[in-house]
């Protein structure tokens, strides 16, 4: 495995990447364009756009100031791990908001995200791809957890929809004396495939269709593009593994909750589209 | 004749709706017992309870004398097979369908089940989705027979079939019963009940019918207003002892109604 150029994160790229308050203010011109288009088309989204832009700025600044502390070499690494824990909780709440019809999704998402984070970060730091430091822990965990939210939501919602729509077939299988893991297998498999396909397609399209964030950031920060590609490739693999772990954990955990111990399918709420 | 199934004071509530109310009757251990009643009266729900796809919220059900909640549900379902109203075939060939119920079986074993369901062995290689409605339902029957059940629960299995396919399936059922199979057959078709039923139980509004309801239903298929709506019709009031034994005669006749006046029915 290639030794990835950790120091490039701290190189003089910061000078290239910094745009300053002036640059930020200039970029606000594009928000003005969005507001203008909204008014021109009578979309009545002016306030929404301004509010979203300001809120994003405040949230990012707040996180930025926290990150300043977390990535400081003098800050105990335990704070970075605590931040990862908070990210897992926030991500689980986000999943719950996006899939409210799924019973017990919050706790399932916490378990799935914790397991996948432990595995992924264990690989990253156990194999010394990056040093165990706040400046590596926080962004890498953030990328993996953030990218897993979509897969979690799709897996959970798809599974509920499959078992709800295909209830007659599931019950026909149960009525033959099949245990629930067997009776649900075709539908669990289909849901997990759907949830993972999007991430696999993204992985296939990377570089050809879009340049992913980490790589773009590194290049903007002045890193050598090939070094940036190596970092990005490693992250893509980690994200793929993390999303797969999340999808499988939540899929299997949720399936277990949808059947009773005496092999009956519980009544399911219809997923809202 | 002993009891195949015995239901005692069975009730079922789902989401605050009362679906079944104090259902008490027995299914004799032989022949075809027809569960007869209007749509939405709870017949299918009773069948699901016998297969343990649902469990009652009150009362008890026994199968050949054993409380079914104390039997292994998977073993029970293989002993008590169920054929659903709409044929549900699984993806793949007829062979794949049969192997789902009897993994590892030889073609000869599978062909024997097909024959019992009056399907030709050549069907084995056909895609299940390509079968006609009647063939698909008979494949479902063969698939259920592949678990070697002691009794078959038939949930209006001919309701989606044309008249010829319906006659064919009825004849298949009769031939199976002649070879010792027991059946509980749900229908709202009075003629079919007459043709098939060795015993019958009339279900109305989530409970066995009173004598008055049964006489009226068997005469012209009608029920008192308010006694049709599943869940809402099974009222809080006691209708008196329900039908006890399914028999050739009116099932509630032995115990008879205590009070069957229209005013009580209107409260339902």
């Amino acid at each position: 495995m290639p030794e990835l150029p950790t120091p490039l994160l701290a190189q003089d790229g910061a000078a290239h990447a910094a745009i300053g308050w002036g640059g930020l203010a200039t970029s606000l011109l594009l928000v003005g364009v969005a507001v203008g288009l909204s008014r021109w088309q009578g979309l009545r989204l002016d306030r929404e756009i301004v509010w979203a832009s300001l809120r994003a700025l405040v949230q990012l600044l707040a996180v930025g100031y926290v990150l300043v502390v977390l990535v400081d070499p003098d800050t105990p690494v335990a704070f970075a791990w605590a931040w990862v824990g908070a990210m897992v909780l926030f991500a689980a709440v986000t999943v719950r908001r996006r899939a409210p019809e799924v019973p017990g999704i919050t706790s399932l998402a916490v378990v799935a995200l914790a397991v996948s984070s432990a595995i992924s970060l264990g690989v990253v730091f156990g194999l010394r791809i990056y040093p165990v430091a706040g400046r590596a822990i926080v962004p890498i965990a953030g990328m993996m957890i953030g990218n897993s939210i979509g897969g979690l939501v799709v897996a959970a919602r798809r599974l509920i929809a499959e078992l709800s729509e295909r209830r007659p077939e599931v019950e026909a299988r149960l009525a033959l004396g099949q245990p629930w893991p067997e009776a649900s297998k075709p539908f669990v498999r289909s849901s997990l495939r759907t949830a993972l396909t999007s991430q696999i397609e993204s992985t296939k399209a990377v570089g050809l269709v879009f340049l992913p964030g980490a790589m773009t950031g590194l290049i903007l920060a002045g890193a050598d593009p090939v070094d940036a590609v190596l970092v990005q490739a490693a992250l893509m693999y980690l994200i793929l593994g993390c999303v797969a772990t999340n999808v499988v954990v939540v899929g299997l955990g949720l399936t277990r909750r949808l059947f009773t111990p005496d092999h009956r399918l519980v009544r399911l709420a219809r997923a809202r589209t | 004749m002993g009891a195949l199934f015995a239901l005692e004071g069975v009730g079922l509530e789902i989401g605050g709706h009362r679906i079944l109310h104090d259902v008490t009757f027995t299914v004799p251990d032989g022949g075809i017992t027809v569960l007869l009643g209007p749509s939405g009266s709870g017949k299918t729900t009773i069948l699901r309870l016998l297969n343990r796809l649902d469990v009652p919220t009150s009362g008890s059900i026994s199968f050949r004398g054993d409380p079914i909640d104390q039997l292994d549900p998977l073993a029970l379902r293989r002993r008590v097979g169920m054929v659903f109203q709409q044929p549900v075939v699984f993806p793949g060939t007829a062979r794949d369908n049969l192997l789902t119920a009897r993994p590892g079986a030889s073609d000869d074993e599978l062909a024997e089940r097909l024959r019992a369901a009056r399907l030709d062995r050549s069907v084995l290689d056909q895609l299940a989705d390509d079968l006609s409605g009647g063939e698909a339902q008979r494949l479902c029957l063969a698939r259920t027979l592949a678990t070697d059940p002691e009794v078959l629960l038939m949930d209006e299995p001919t309701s989606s079939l044309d008249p010829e396919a319906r006659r064919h399936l009825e004849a298949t059922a009769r031939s199976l019963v002649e070879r010792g199979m027991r059946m509980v057959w749900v229908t709202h078709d009075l003629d079919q009940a007459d043709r098939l039923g060795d015993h019958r139980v009339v279900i109305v509004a989530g409970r066995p019918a009173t004598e008055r309801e049964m006489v009226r239903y068997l005469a012209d298929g009608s029920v008192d207003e308010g006694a049709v709506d599943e869940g809402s019709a099974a009222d809080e009031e006691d209708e008196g002892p329900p039908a006890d034994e399914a028999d050739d005669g009116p099932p509630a006749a032995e115990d008879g109604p205590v009070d069957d006046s229209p005013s009580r029915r209107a409260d339902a």
Side-chain angles (χ1 to χ4, degrees), chain A residues 86-149:
Chain A
M87 281 197 286
V88 166
L89 292 179
F90 282 126
V93 170
T94 305
V95 171
R96 163 98 184 88
R97 243 191 350 248
R98 289 170 58 182
E101 77 277 12
V102 180
I105 186 62
T106 313
S107 56
L108 274 173
V110 167
V111 171
L113 289 164
V115 168
S116 61
S117 298
I119 293 173
S120 308
L121 296 177
V123 170
V124 171
F125 298 117
L127 299 180
R128 299 182 184 285
I129 297 174
Y130 279 104
V132 183
R135 69 182 312 116
I137 293 170
V138 172
I140 290 173
M143 245 184 292
M144 288 187 299
I145 292 170
N147 277 285
S148 296
I149 289 176

Side-chain angles (χ1 to χ4, degrees), chain B residues 4-268:
Chain B
L4 187 65
F5 291 104
L7 292 83
E8 183 66 44
V10 169
L12 178 67
E13 275 192 27
I14 296 174
H17 292 282
R18 183 172 288 191
I19 309 297
L20 297 176
H21 173 55
D22 197 20
V23 175
T24 300
F25 68 87
T26 57
V27 175
D29 194 358
I32 299 180
T33 298
V34 170
L35 286 188
L36 184 63
S39 295
S41 57
K43 308 181 297 295
T44 294
T45 306
I46 291 173
L47 226 51
R48 290 171 60 86
L49 294 178
L50 301 182
N51 189 259
R52 255 184 94 172
L53 285 176
D54 283 320
V55 293
T57 42
S58 60
S60 64
I61 302 173
S62 61
F63 174 56
R64 295 194 191 280
D66 297 318
I68 65 169
D69 59 359
Q70 289 173 24
L71 297 172
D72 171 39
L74 302 181
L76 174 78
R77 287 177 186 153
R78 295 182 77 80
R79 293 173 67 193
V80 181
M82 185 157 175
V83 176
F84 295 85
Q85 186 170 0
Q86 298 292 332
V88 181
V89 294
F90 304 151
T93 61
R95 181 186 287 103
D96 296 331
N97 272 259
L98 297 169
L99 287 173
T100 305
R102 197 177 184 84
S106 67
D107 275 8
D108 286 343
E109 286 178 284
L110 301 182
E112 191 184 323
R113 271 69 188 184
L114 287 174
R115 210 165 31 246
R118 296 192 173 189
L119 279 173
D120 191 76
R121 182 190 185 107
S122 62
V123 168
L124 275 176
D125 289 318
Q126 277 192 44
L127 284 176
D129 285 333
D130 290 345
L131 298 175
S132 69
E135 287 173 327
Q137 192 60 298
R138 287 205 298 284
L139 174 61
C140 292
L141 173 59
R143 193 177 62 197
T144 304
L145 290 172
T147 67
D148 290 338
E150 298 164 36
V151 51
L152 284 175
L153 309 174
M154 308 289 276
D155 183 13
E156 303 206 41
T158 59
S159 64
S160 62
L161 305 183
D162 60 50
E164 189 186 338
R166 189 192 65 219
R167 276 193 298 276
H168 201 160
L169 193 64
E170 287 179 5
T172 306
R174 183 43 72 189
S175 72
L176 284 168
V177 169
E178 282 164 6
R179 283 185 277 157
M181 180 63 74
R182 280 83 168 131
M183 273 190 204
V184 182
W185 186 293
V186 160
T187 185
H188 62 265
D189 179 342
L190 295 175
D191 293 335
Q192 186 176 58
D194 283 342
R195 284 194 303 274
L196 281 179
D198 299 312
H199 324 278
R200 67 185 170 208
V201 179
V202 178
I203 305 293
V204 171
R207 54 176 168 65
T210 60
E211 184 178 342
R212 175 195 171 95
E213 288 169 329
M214 191 158 28
V215 168
R216 180 166 174 179
Y217 184 72
L218 294 176
D220 61 7
S222 69
V223 292
D224 292 331
E225 197 174 330
V228 179
D229 201 7
E230 188 170 300
S232 62
D235 60 0
E236 303 294 327
E237 295 187 38
D238 186 6
E239 287 292 333
D244 186 18
E245 179 83 21
D247 207 338
D248 289 326
E254 292 167 16
D255 294 307
V258 172
D259 181 358
D260 194 27
S261 67
S263 61
R264 283 176 62 86
R265 203 45 11 83
D267 291 337

